[in-house]
Amino acid sequence: MTPRVDDTDMATQLRTTKRPLERAVVVSLFLAGAISIAVTLGILWELGKEALLFFQDEVVSIGDFFTTTVWQPQAGSFGIWPLILGTLYITVIALVVAVPVGLSAAIYLSEYASPRVRGILKPALEVLVGIPTVVFGFFALTFITPLLRGVFGVNTVGFFNVLSAGLVVGLLIVPLISSLAEDAMAAVPDSLRQAAYGLGASRLEVALRVVVPAALSGIAAGVVIAMSRAVGETMVVTLAAGASPRNFDLGTDSLFGTILNPFEGAQTITGYIVITASGDISYDTIDYNSIFALGLTLFIMTLTLNSLSRRIVKRFRQEYD
Amino acid sequence: MTVQAPERPDVGFFPTDEEYVELLDKRTRRGAVVRTGFLALLSVAVLGLVILLVTIVDDSFGLVAVVNQNEPEAVVAAAGYDPATTALSDLSKEDLVTSLQGTISNGVGRRLEREQRFFEDRLVFESQAKWDEVCASDEPPSGCTGGARDTSSVLLLVEERVIQPDVVAVNGMIPSVLDGQGFRDRIESEFITVPEKYPDYTFDQVRFQWRAWLSWKFITSPSSSTPEIAGISTAILGSVWLVLIAVLFAVPVGVGAAIYLEEFARPNRINDIIQTNINNLAGVPSIIYGMLGLAVFVRVLEPITSGSLFGDFAPNGRTVMSAGLTLGLMSLPVVIISSQEALRAVPNSLRQAGMGLGATRWQTVRSQVLPVAIPGIMTGTILAVARAIGETAPLILVGAAGFITVSPSSPFSQFTALPIQIFQWTSLPQPEWRNLAAAASLVLLILLLTLNAAAVILRNRYSRRLT
Amino acid sequence: MTEHTDTDIDSSPPTAVHGATPNGEELADDVAKVLETRDMDVFYGDFRAVADVSIGFRFNEISALIGPSGCGKSTVLRSLNRMNDLIPSARVTGEVHYHGANIYAEGVDPVEVRRRIGMVFQKPNPFPKSIFDNVAWGVKINGFKGSKAELADHVEATLRQAALWDEVKDKLSDSGLSLSGGQQQRLCIARAIATQPDVVLMDEPCSALDPIATLRIEELMLELKKDYSIVIVTHNMQQAARVSDRTAFFNVQLDEKGQRTGRMIEFTPTDVLFTNPEQQETEDYITGRFG
């Protein structure tokens, strides 16, 4: 009988075979992965380069950019605070709406709802996620704004106002908060709920005093993500909050009458970028460069929020491992 | 070791049974109140969704007050029929063309004829000699080669050019159904009280009719500067082109990256950085991708994206190509992350089985792992596409044209897209545009809901097979 | 403590059996029961998990439920304080009487039931709160009337009773999760008894613990039965033999439709069950011939 394997030189036979095709495949797969790095570098490079050009322009000073409160490109005033005010104001209004609504939705769906009710409500929230932001913008302008003007008076509420934009951005981020909070609450071990029930706790006490505290960091992470989303939201604010930066003077303008008046419009960082770019913008003008300086600011803001959220989640995971 | 027997703790501080019953009652009541509160707040979100959808549907249909330059009955009568028994749409093509001839100037008629001729066998506005001359030129118009217009397209022309409807006031669907007479009365009184609102007309000219802003004609007509005849075919085609390019870019690259990260990458620094970086990219606002697209695709790569390397196409880089690639970059993290999840769901035993047979890692991935993961990858891709179709901000950055009526014909065409069209129409002051924006939103939502439903069905079928 | 102050729904005063050690004594029906099931069936959806369970638990005894896995002994235990209500598909028929009142009767609030019938679970599950708050929380939600200092005294007394005080007195504000497994389980026992129930249900409380920690819990249980009636599910026959006064043996049987259903085979004083069981099935099980 002849041996099936010629083992005279087995050591050689077992040596690593060169597989050029396999190698090429792995390299191209790696390159596909590396494209994401190129995207990030591209973003940083382009935003950074144009922002630098912006700050080198003779009418711009980086100090004024971060310290003055008038944004009036035509007049050569580039103080970012009016745009940041608009952005943060709308974000805060959005969170005031979305946090209670989103958390209530999460608690109700996770701790109360019967499977049948859940089966109706949860898809409804998911539909909200799928609606394009421009449609939300349409909704803000054609429904919410007229509603507000009807309730508070046409003379009080401007055609463009931050309240309408904030409310609709809030509606838009509700599903984000509710689904992340629900995930966090689902991750709370059922044994904790049982322990609490075993002590004679009511459903409300279990939900609010056991489940929510145990899921708190996951919930917080969700709120931070939602905040980042609100800061970067563009179409709703462009359509509903108008295109005039809310320039102010801290000393003379009244805080609630003018600076924080929810019934008047205010441009946001994203709103300015879109409006400026929607015309026929010419390269290497100060307008062109300014949107990149703002883009860089926006990028840093959202990146900070996103990494903060990820850090919170990481801590959350450790608790139950 | 024995345990000391301590006293059972004092019970004096606990409520008596009567007190406890009362307390429990209070707790139960509080629980019911708060539960109702939760449900009420949750309903705010659901109510918001419902109102949003109702608003859009409401604005897509409804009564309009319209003034026709020529009444359809007059056109029918002029053609020699009895308006009481014959409608405009019953007229023959010959009658319709005759009516056109009687209304529009010869110049407009010649232009229409050069676009597409009215009859195969004869010319209506153009002389044969001139026609032959034009068709013999270097760039013959489309009418020289294409077939003749059919009756329905001539009917459209008659409605547009002869009847020339001008919508002077609009009403939502729900108020129209509930109280159509109220709308009529309101307009009538407005003609008396605020005549400056309707400077060109008297109330006698006004006709009230039901109008579906969302109609087949709306979907198949190109955009126009007249709201009565504007449609979204240009925008739909633009969106299709964009998504096609975005998918062609994002899916191969994204799935490749996911395969690398899940199947090949060892946990080292570079791969860690890649993974973290992808997670970070997923959270970058879409407008930033638009700025990247503007700086890189539109500006730096203009020779490629404008097609000037390959011939004479577009004057600048603000083309379907640039926008599609921008959307592709934006979708990349979503595609990668969902593909990674799909790959992770493939049981390890499959990989071991493959490798145990002496297959290389890539062979195992290609013929064992990937086929199992494909439905999951497709689900993720559909969701990424759904997101890309609805994106507006990055398209504005890379220069979507606000108003074009020519459908894109190549990757190097100028373009508009559905969300851009909605944005533009929403920003216009005249109320009719709102109705168009609503109708276009409705089309977009139906499209997205279909895509999402497809993704859900795919996901359900897929998860059932795995378990 | 010799009085059960919260027996308003009871018709027969329990004092008659206090301190009694009923080993070897006949299972007389006239002895007062703290908890008694009557023809109880438990269903999960259409599946009948246990059938026809009639069993009476006496005051200040430790009663053990044993049997092969799948025999429904945990299901029975969880039906005793309506924990099964938390499983949407679960349904209980028959009656469970607590001090003579049916806890499944119309209008009975499960929250009220669970305050009086506490529970300790298989795996230690302290709340992610401080050790102090783990014990104090249940007390507070149940309407503790004393001051902060009095609450602290109560927590201390409870932890002493659970034989945990000396180990945790210096770190009461540490997280409950920082304790060892055995300590966590004693913390969970302390948490359960802090609300002053008079029955404590224990669902395999030692299965996740090492032998030394197990021993301490067993000693604790023997200590606690002076004040509480305890029902324990265990898969460890030695444990049942060591700690319990009475033992119920459950087994899986095929019902008339051929479905597997848990049934109680016999319930007798522990020494009788382990030395001289009435039923052949029990004999087979305790001698290790199956299961």
Side-chain angles (χ1 to χ4, degrees):
Chain A
M1 187 174 131
T2 49
R4 284 178 57 225
V5 178
D6 174 16
D7 56 3
T8 47
D9 194 14
M10 188 51 89
T12 317
Q13 287 189 25
L14 286 179
R15 227 177 281 153
T16 307
T17 319
K18 283 211 180 72
R19 296 192 180 84
L21 180 71
E22 178 102 2
R23 186 91 206 123
V25 167
V26 176
V27 167
S28 40
L29 292 177
F30 170 77
L31 288 178
I35 283 187
S36 69
I37 301 272
V39 173
T40 308
L41 292 180
I43 290 176
L44 285 174
W45 168 256
E46 286 299 339
L47 295 181
K49 187 186 74 183
E50 303 290 342
L52 204 65
L53 287 174
F54 172 72
F55 290 122
Q56 280 168 352
D57 195 292
E58 53 200 13
V59 302
V60 180
S61 97
I62 192 160
D64 288 353
F65 183 75
F66 286 112
T67 55
T68 61
T69 57
V70 174
W71 182 271
Q72 221 161 27
Q74 314 84 325
S77 319
F78 292 95
I80 195 175
W81 284 103
L83 300 180
I84 293 207
L85 171 76
T87 303
L88 292 187
Y89 198 6
I90 289 173
T91 302
V92 167
I93 295 174
L95 287 177
V96 166
V97 175
V99 169
V101 173
L103 285 190
S104 296
I107 294 173
Y108 190 84
L109 289 175
S110 147
E111 306 295 317
Y112 286 95
S114 66
R116 210 173 55 87
V117 173
R118 222 181 112 83
I120 299 167
L121 292 179
K122 211 173 148 59
L125 289 177
E126 280 168 1
V127 167
L128 269 179
V129 183
I131 295 177
T133 57
V134 68
V135 177
F136 277 103
F138 172 84
F139 177 60
L141 206 59
T142 58
F143 183 82
I144 300 290
T145 299
L147 183 73
L148 292 174
R149 299 186 88 183
V151 172
F152 296 104
V154 177
N155 297 326
T156 316
V157 184
F159 185 75
F160 296 113
N161 63 79
V162 292
L163 186 56
S164 172
L167 292 176
V168 173
V169 173
L171 180 62
L172 184 147
I173 58 174
V174 160
L176 201 60
I177 292 184
S178 72
S179 75
L180 289 171
E182 209 195 329
D183 287 350
M185 287 162 60
V188 173
D190 214 37
S191 63
L192 288 186
R193 287 185 188 83
Q194 304 217 357
Y197 281 123
L199 289 174
S202 67
R203 200 174 270 270
L204 174 69
E205 287 154 354
V206 172
L208 282 192
R209 298 175 68 179
V210 173
V211 179
V212 168
L216 202 59
S217 37
I219 293 171
V223 172
V224 174
I225 285 278
M227 191 173 166
S228 154
R229 177 77 202 277
V231 165
E233 165 47 39
T234 309
M235 297 322 294
V236 176
V237 299
T238 306
L239 282 168
S244 331
R246 189 178 287 185
N247 297 323
F248 60 93
D249 182 343
L250 262 187
T252 52
D253 289 331
S254 87
L255 187 60
F256 293 103
T258 308
I259 302 179
L260 292 182
N261 184 349
F263 297 131
E264 290 299 326
Q267 199 165 36
T268 64
I269 297 180
T270 53
Y272 174 80
I273 295 175
V274 159
I275 292 297
T276 309
S278 64
D280 242 343
I281 188 168
S282 325
Y283 304 136
D284 296 324
T285 57
I286 189 142
D287 282 348
Y288 181 82
N289 294 339
S290 72
I291 66 171
F292 285 86
L294 290 175
L296 188 63
T297 315
L298 179 69
F299 183 72
I300 292 169
M301 282 167 83
T302 54
L303 191 70
T304 312
L305 288 171
N306 290 343
S307 11
L308 175 67
S309 155
R310 205 157 325 113
R311 200 167 297 170
I312 298 174
V313 167
K314 216 173 248 170
R315 230 189 58 199
F316 164 68
R317 282 223 184 93
Q318 280 162 355
E319 261 173 51
Y320 292 110
D321 278 351
Chain B
M1 173 187 153
T2 56
V3 181
Q4 268 280 311
E7 283 299 295
R8 182 167 178 172
D10 190 3
V11 297
F13 293 116
F14 280 84
T16 63
D17 285 315
E18 290 74 30
E19 285 172 340
Y20 181 78
V21 168
E22 211 173 280
L23 176 71
L24 185 61
D25 215 43
K26 221 172 84 191
R27 284 162 66 196
T28 312
R29 252 180 291 131
R30 195 192 313 142
V33 168
V34 177
R35 177 203 167 104
T36 314
F38 286 149
L39 191 57
L41 280 172
L42 165 59
S43 312
V44 168
V46 177
L47 194 70
L49 170 69
V50 171
I51 295 178
L52 187 152
L53 296 178
V54 168
T55 305
I56 288 170
V57 175
D58 187 53
D59 280 350
S60 298
F61 306 92
L63 277 176
V64 293
V66 61
V67 175
N68 293 326
Q69 225 43 274
N70 297 290
E71 298 299 344
E73 290 80 359
V75 175
V76 172
Y81 300 92
D82 178 9
T85 54
T86 312
L88 186 66
S89 53
D90 297 334
L91 295 191
S92 69
K93 186 164 144 187
E94 282 74 14
D95 288 329
L96 291 169
V97 172
T98 313
S99 163
L100 264 181
Q101 270 180 298
T103 318
I104 63 176
S105 72
N106 255 329
V108 175
R110 277 200 292 272
R111 194 160 56 71
L112 290 172
E113 191 151 41
R114 282 180 200 179
E115 242 168 53
Q116 195 178 7
R117 50 195 300 173
F118 290 90
F119 299 103
E120 294 285 358
D121 50 350
R122 62 191 164 97
L123 292 164
V124 183
F125 295 94
E126 196 77 86
S127 69
Q128 192 63 46
K130 181 76 180 161
W131 182 263
D132 292 339
E133 181 192 320
V134 170
C135 286
S137 70
D138 286 345
E139 283 180 37
S142 52
C144 295
T145 44
R149 292 173 193 266
D150 57 13
T151 312
S152 65
S153 94
V154 178
L155 181 64
L156 273 183
L157 278 179
V158 170
E159 281 171 354
E160 206 181 301
R161 308 266 170 183
V162 180
I163 297 175
Q164 289 186 49
D166 181 7
V167 172
V168 295
V170 294
N171 200 20
M173 179 180 78
I174 296 168
S176 300
V177 171
L178 295 182
D179 187 18
Q181 192 55 46
F183 175 60
R184 291 186 176 88
D185 297 345
R186 199 185 79 220
I187 300 301
E188 183 166 14
S189 71
E190 276 185 2
F191 263 88
I192 299 160
T193 53
V194 273
E196 62 274 18
K197 240 177 126 175
Y198 311 97
D200 305 333
Y201 305 115
T202 62
F203 184 69
D204 297 337
Q205 293 174 287
V206 175
R207 289 177 152 218
F208 290 91
Q209 60 191 52
W210 184 264
R211 181 170 178 126
W213 296 94
L214 173 55
S215 63
W216 186 245
K217 192 179 138 203
F218 175 70
I219 291 172
T220 51
S221 314
S223 188
S224 158
S225 51
T226 314
E228 287 79 7
I229 58 169
I232 52 171
S233 70
T234 332
I236 290 179
L237 256 168
S239 283
V240 169
W241 268 104
L242 293 182
V243 164
L244 215 65
I245 292 175
V247 164
L248 283 179
F249 171 76
V251 169
V253 175
V255 174
I259 293 176
Y260 174 74
L261 287 168
E262 283 305 307
E263 308 289 337
F264 290 95
R266 297 199 177 81
N268 62 29
R269 238 187 119 74
I270 295 181
N271 297 328
D272 269 5
I273 291 175
I274 294 181
Q275 185 70 63
T276 316
N277 180 54
I278 288 167
N279 295 340
N280 275 330
L281 280 179
V284 171
S286 59
I287 192 171
I288 302 273
Y289 285 99
M291 304 184 76
L292 180 70
L294 170 62
V296 175
F297 297 132
V298 176
R299 193 177 175 186
V300 178
L301 299 180
E302 181 174 321
I304 299 171
T305 51
S306 69
S308 61
L309 268 186
F310 318 103
D312 192 16
F313 287 96
N316 54 40
R318 295 173 182 186
T319 55
V320 169
M321 186 64 145
S322 295
L325 288 175
T326 304
L327 290 186
L329 281 188
M330 192 197 79
S331 313
L332 198 56
V334 185
V335 174
I336 295 177
I337 290 171
S338 57
S339 302
Q340 277 186 287
E341 274 163 15
L343 287 169
R344 226 171 286 151
V346 176
N348 240 330
S349 55
L350 262 184
R351 295 184 182 85
Q352 287 160 2
M355 312 261 281
L357 289 173
T360 65
R361 194 169 269 273
W362 168 240
Q363 287 168 327
T364 310
V365 169
R366 198 193 51 201
S367 34
Q368 304 303 331
V369 179
L370 208 48
V372 180
I374 287 271
I377 292 174
M378 275 171 61
T379 308
T381 305
I382 294 177
L383 292 177
V385 163
R387 207 186 122 189
I389 291 184
E391 272 301 341
T392 319
L395 298 185
I396 296 176
L397 264 291
V398 295
F403 176 66
I404 56 169
T405 56
V406 188
S407 298
S409 54
S410 83
F412 309 114
S413 305
Q414 284 191 299
F415 69 99
T416 187
L418 260 181
I420 295 287
Q421 199 73 79
I422 296 168
F423 172 60
Q424 297 289 347
W425 283 341
T426 306
S427 337
L428 293 173
Q430 294 82 1
E432 304 93 277
W433 297 109
R434 295 282 161 75
N435 298 88
L436 291 177
S441 297
L442 199 51
V443 172
L444 186 58
L445 286 183
I446 292 169
L447 190 68
L448 292 180
L449 284 183
T450 316
L451 280 173
N452 277 308
V456 168
I457 290 170
L458 206 61
R459 185 173 62 197
N460 288 351
R461 192 171 295 172
Y462 172 55
S463 57
R464 209 174 306 142
R465 214 181 52 188
L466 265 191
T467 46
Chain C
M1 137 104 203
T2 53
E3 289 296 321
H4 292 265
T5 54
D6 47 2
T7 53
D8 64 313
I9 49 177
D10 182 23
S11 49
S12 50
T15 41
V17 291
H18 265 200
T21 47
N23 286 5
E25 150 197 345
E26 289 290 304
L27 207 170
D29 273 318
D30 55 347
V31 179
K33 310 291 192 306
V34 60
L35 204 53
E36 189 175 10
T37 72
R38 296 183 188 160
D39 303 323
M40 182 179 75
D41 287 13
V42 185
F43 297 84
Y44 295 117
D46 293 332
F47 169 66
R48 184 160 69 164
V50 289
D52 302 331
V53 178
S54 295
I55 183 169
F57 302 103
R58 302 185 184 194
F59 285 94
N60 295 69
E61 281 192 3
I62 298 179
S63 309
L65 312 181
I66 64 169
S69 49
C71 69
K73 52 193 190 294
S74 285
T75 299
V76 169
L77 189 77
R78 298 167 62 88
S79 308
L80 297 179
N81 71 342
R82 298 193 55 174
M83 284 304 274
N84 274 339
D85 287 23
L86 303 177
I87 302 167
S89 65
R91 189 161 51 86
V92 176
T93 63
E95 297 180 349
V96 177
H97 286 254
Y98 170 71
H99 290 270
N102 182 11
I103 64 170
Y104 283 95
E106 189 88 359
V108 171
D109 190 334
V111 171
E112 165 94 9
V113 171
R114 294 182 201 124
R115 175 181 76 121
R116 296 161 186 276
I117 308 176
M119 186 145 194
V120 175
F121 300 84
Q122 190 165 356
K123 268 167 66 183
N125 54 354
F127 298 128
K129 299 173 188 274
S130 72
I131 292 169
F132 183 90
D133 285 340
N134 259 285
V135 179
W137 189 73
V139 180
K140 281 192 272 189
I141 60 162
N142 280 303
F144 189 76
K145 292 186 293 187
S147 66
K148 263 194 174 158
E150 283 156 347
L151 177 64
D153 287 346
H154 179 69
V155 169
E156 176 179 341
T158 306
L159 284 169
R160 278 187 195 285
Q161 207 188 7
L164 193 61
W165 175 253
D166 292 332
E167 292 156 69
V168 301
K169 63 182 174 206
D170 299 323
K171 46 177 183 179
L172 288 174
S173 54
D174 287 12
S175 165
L177 293 162
S178 67
L179 298 174
S180 74
Q183 289 172 324
Q184 286 188 9
Q185 192 63 304
R186 274 179 284 143
L187 180 62
C188 292
I189 293 175
R191 180 176 68 186
I193 60 179
T195 59
Q196 305 277 301
D198 65 348
V199 180
V200 179
L201 309 177
M202 298 190 173
D203 190 358
E204 304 199 25
C206 303
S207 65
L209 304 182
D210 63 53
I212 295 171
T214 300
L215 186 65
R216 302 214 47 185
I217 303 266
E218 289 179 359
E219 286 169 349
L220 176 59
M221 283 162 56
L222 290 171
E223 207 47 58
L224 290 174
K225 86 170 181 180
K226 295 200 188 82
D227 297 313
Y228 306 94
S229 312
I230 296 175
V231 183
I232 174 174
V233 163
T234 176
H235 58 216
N236 176 336
M237 273 182 282
Q238 287 73 29
Q239 184 169 57
R242 275 198 301 270
V243 300
S244 70
D245 302 301
R246 278 163 205 282
T247 300
F249 172 63
F250 284 74
N251 203 358
V252 185
Q253 292 187 338
L254 294 181
D255 67 6
E256 53 277 11
K257 279 178 255 163
Q259 280 186 321
R260 294 165 62 83
T261 297
R263 279 173 201 277
M264 191 186 78
I265 307 304
E266 61 182 302
F267 181 45
T268 60
T270 299
D271 50 357
V272 177
L273 188 116
F274 280 101
T275 52
N276 191 16
E278 255 175 56
Q279 303 292 328
Q280 185 61 39
E281 284 177 63
T282 317
E283 171 88 34
D284 289 349
Y285 182 70
I286 61 173
T287 53
R289 258 170 256 164
F290 82 95

